[in-house]
Amino acid sequence: MSALICGSFAYDSIMVFPDKFKNHILPDKVHMLNVAFLVPELRREFGGCAGNIAYNLKLLGDNPLPMGTVGTDFGPYAEWMDKNDISRQHVHVKQGHYTAQAFITTDMDDNQITAFHPGAMNLAHETPISEADDVTLAIVAPDGRDGMVQHAEQLKAAGIPFIFDPGQGLPMFNGDELMQFAEQATYIALNDYEAQLFMDRTGLPEEEIARHVDALIITRGAQGSHIYTENKRIDIPCDKAEAIVDPTGCGDAYRAGLLHGIMHGKDWEETGRIAAKLGAIKIAQHGTQNHSL
């Protein structure tokens, strides 16, 4: 079985500032800020929700079909996908654009300053769902706004069940638009912050949102996760990690576990535990695609 993964591809440039931002930013001068941080440590990681979910799903032995738009600088990422035997059939290079990129600087207090360039990601709507064949399940993950809207509409029209995973893209949508996604999707996956924002914008509690889909999944970090389905809540415990190194990408790993469980007909208890296990494995490694099973 194949899972179509609609979402972003991105390069994550991660820098560590061996000091504290507060020692270099004058509170009475923030209106005329002009600072430079020397960052001796730099990592460049392959990221983006579609790439991360596909990587984790491949680790589980499944056949992910990531769909996204990238720039002419995608060469190293393409080589990485080929090395890991991940399909690039629905990854389209857009001339004159860069692949989406995040530049993240972290200080010794774990404060972060991030700049994000969406680049070719904003052209995701130019790729229709119809170009993918034999898809049994899909996920609409954070991507260009128009791409998320159109892919959800197209999946619903094609009768393909899918997970709506708005992630960091959730603030782009108002309450009516979020309810439209809820009516189209088969499942919704959120973290606890996103769930609160979803409730604030729609005016509905978790239990009411869950009535619109087959399952509402809410991850809660170290407190595990809740899966609302069939008028009940299943509590999934947090899986103990070997080490807490880097939480970036844990949500994507968890979502790959959800896709795996659904595709293989597992019940929600087992599906949730597989998802939690993947998140625990990922958090023990730097980057979003450097772990293994």
Side-chain angles (χ1 to χ4, degrees):
M1 296 186 288
S2 299
L4 184 67
I5 304 167
C6 306
S8 62
F9 290 87
Y11 288 116
D12 296 332
S13 295
I14 303 169
M15 295 154 279
V16 176
F17 177 51
D19 201 339
K20 300 178 180 180
F21 294 143
K22 66 182 181 182
N23 295 337
H24 298 262
I25 298 175
L26 302 176
D28 59 339
K29 299 293 184 182
V30 293
H31 64 288
M32 50 184 294
L33 194 64
N34 188 356
V35 294
F37 302 111
L38 180 65
V39 287
E41 182 180 336
L42 166 67
R43 302 194 324 271
R44 197 184 195 204
E45 304 282 0
F46 301 123
C49 295
N52 295 342
I53 295 171
Y55 177 83
N56 283 279
L57 205 53
K58 192 69 180 183
L59 289 180
L60 290 170
D62 291 318
N63 181 33
L65 295 175
M67 175 178 282
T69 46
V70 299
T72 52
D73 57 344
F74 193 65
Y77 205 144
E79 293 177 7
W80 172 251
M81 292 180 68
D82 292 345
K83 179 181 177 180
N84 288 279
D85 194 27
I86 298 172
S87 171
R88 290 192 286 117
Q89 181 180 356
H90 305 298
V91 180
H92 298 286
V93 175
K94 299 296 182 179
Q95 297 299 318
H97 294 272
Y98 289 109
T99 301
Q101 302 187 42
F103 301 89
I104 306 166
T105 304
T106 304
D107 75 354
M108 293 297 96
D109 282 336
D110 285 331
N111 295 311
Q112 288 187 332
I113 296 175
T114 300
F116 181 73
H117 172 65
M121 185 187 79
N122 280 342
L123 302 178
H125 59 280
E126 295 183 359
T127 306
I129 295 298
S130 58
E131 80 165 33
D133 297 325
D134 301 323
V135 172
T136 56
L137 181 65
I139 183 169
V140 174
D143 207 350
R145 187 186 192 283
D146 292 343
M148 293 178 71
V149 171
Q150 292 190 26
H151 290 158
E153 292 175 346
Q154 292 166 1
L155 287 166
K156 176 67 173 179
I160 299 172
F162 72 94
I163 299 173
F164 175 54
D165 169 31
Q168 64 267 31
L170 194 151
M172 296 189 295
F173 305 104
N174 61 34
D176 290 340
E177 290 167 332
L178 291 173
M179 286 310 303
Q180 181 66 29
F181 280 118
E183 296 293 343
Q184 295 165 336
T186 318
Y187 318 96
I188 296 176
L190 308 164
N191 65 27
D192 49 1
Y193 176 82
E194 294 156 4
Q196 186 60 57
L197 185 56
F198 201 111
M199 289 187 288
D200 290 346
R201 294 203 171 180
T202 62
L204 299 178
E206 294 172 353
E207 294 81 3
E208 186 61 32
I209 296 169
R211 292 191 181 99
H212 291 268
V213 289
D214 289 357
L216 168 65
I217 302 98
I218 300 177
T219 60
R220 303 166 60 246
Q223 284 70 52
S225 54
H226 293 158
I227 300 178
Y228 294 85
T229 184
E230 298 176 347
N231 297 316
K232 64 180 180 180
R233 190 184 84 184
I234 301 171
D235 295 337
I236 304 297
C238 180
D239 197 277
K240 184 174 176 57
E242 293 183 359
I244 308 299
V245 176
D246 181 5
T248 309
C250 288
D252 294 329
Y254 187 101
R255 280 143 181 79
L258 294 178
L259 289 168
H260 176 83
I262 295 169
M263 283 196 297
H264 292 275
K266 300 182 183 298
D267 61 32
W268 283 110
E269 178 81 25
E270 186 175 1
T271 295
R273 288 179 176 271
I274 292 170
K277 171 66 73 176
L278 270 179
I281 291 171
K282 196 262 92 127
I283 204 171
Q285 299 292 332
H286 280 295
T288 57
Q289 298 181 33
N290 296 322
H291 54 289
S292 59
L293 302 186

